[in-house]
Amino acid sequence: MQVHASVFKCTAADGSVVFQGSPCVSGDEAQINMLFGEREAQKPLALLAGSWCELGTSKVLDGTVYRDETLSKTWVFAENKMTQHIQQGQRHDTFNYNIRQQTGNFVIDHPAFGSGQVSWHVRRYTEQELVIAAYGNFTHLTAGECDVAMVRN
C-alpha cells in the first residue's frame, strides 16, 4: 500500500489562504483531493519542448476558446528557456524568458508576466495539443509555429 498526497497553498482573491490537493487554478477556486491508498501509477508528463501556436484562451478547460484574430503568438519551449514570437500586423516582437520547469508546470520570473513570479500549470499535453493555466484562464496551443499551424486548420 502506497500513501501519497500533494498539498498546495493558494491565496484566494479575497486574500485568504487555501490549502488544496491540486495546483492553484484561480484566486477564487479551491479543490481538495486527498487520495490515500493504492492507485495506478501515472505516466509523468514530459517537460515542455518545441514550438506551439497559441489558439486562444478560455475561462474553463473545455470551454469556448476566444482568439484575438489580430495577434499571432508562438511559444517556443526549451528546458530552461521560453521564447515568444508575437506578430500583430507588420510588427513582430520576440521575447526571451528564463523558466524553471518541473513535470506538469513551469515558472516564469519576469515583470512582463504579472510583475513577478508566475507559475503555469499544464492541464493537457499531447503531441498536438497543449493547454496551460495561469491567472485563472486556460491558454490553448497547438503544435507548430503559428503560420504553419493556421494553414492546417
Side-chain angles (χ1 to χ4, degrees), residues 123-143:
R123 295 298 185 208
R124 190 174 294 143
Y125 186 30
T126 67
E127 274 187 30
Q128 293 300 313
E129 180 185 29
L130 172 62
V131 180
I132 54 180
Y135 302 113
N137 289 312
F138 296 87
T139 301
H140 300 258
L141 302 105
T142 188

Side-chain angles (χ1 to χ4, degrees), residues 7-122:
V7 177
F8 297 86
K9 178 182 176 184
C10 304
T11 302
D14 65 1
S16 63
V17 175
V18 178
F19 293 90
Q20 59 189 48
S22 62
C24 306
V25 176
S26 68
D28 59 357
E29 184 174 326
Q31 177 183 355
I32 298 174
N33 287 329
M34 300 301 287
L35 196 56
F36 298 96
E38 292 184 36
R39 65 181 210 175
E40 280 185 38
Q42 294 180 324
K43 181 180 174 187
L45 292 172
L47 295 180
L48 298 177
S51 296
W52 296 87
C53 177
E54 183 176 317
L55 298 175
T57 60
S58 66
K59 291 289 184 189
V60 294
L61 180 61
D62 292 315
T64 302
V65 176
Y66 296 95
R67 177 169 172 71
D68 181 351
E69 296 295 333
T70 65
L71 188 68
S72 170
K73 193 183 294 185
T74 299
W75 302 53
V76 183
F77 291 94
E79 184 175 349
N80 296 310
K81 181 179 175 183
M82 189 265 288
T83 301
Q84 282 189 328
H85 300 287
I86 302 173
Q87 185 170 349
Q88 189 166 21
Q90 296 298 318
R91 183 178 175 152
H92 185 162
D93 296 306
T94 299
F95 301 96
N96 293 302
Y97 305 101
N98 291 323
I99 63 173
R100 294 186 311 273
Q101 280 203 63
Q102 295 179 347
T103 302
N105 70 54
F106 64 96
V107 175
I108 300 173
D109 191 2
H110 192 278
F113 284 89
S115 299
Q117 182 175 329
V118 176
S119 182
W120 292 77
H121 300 281
V122 177

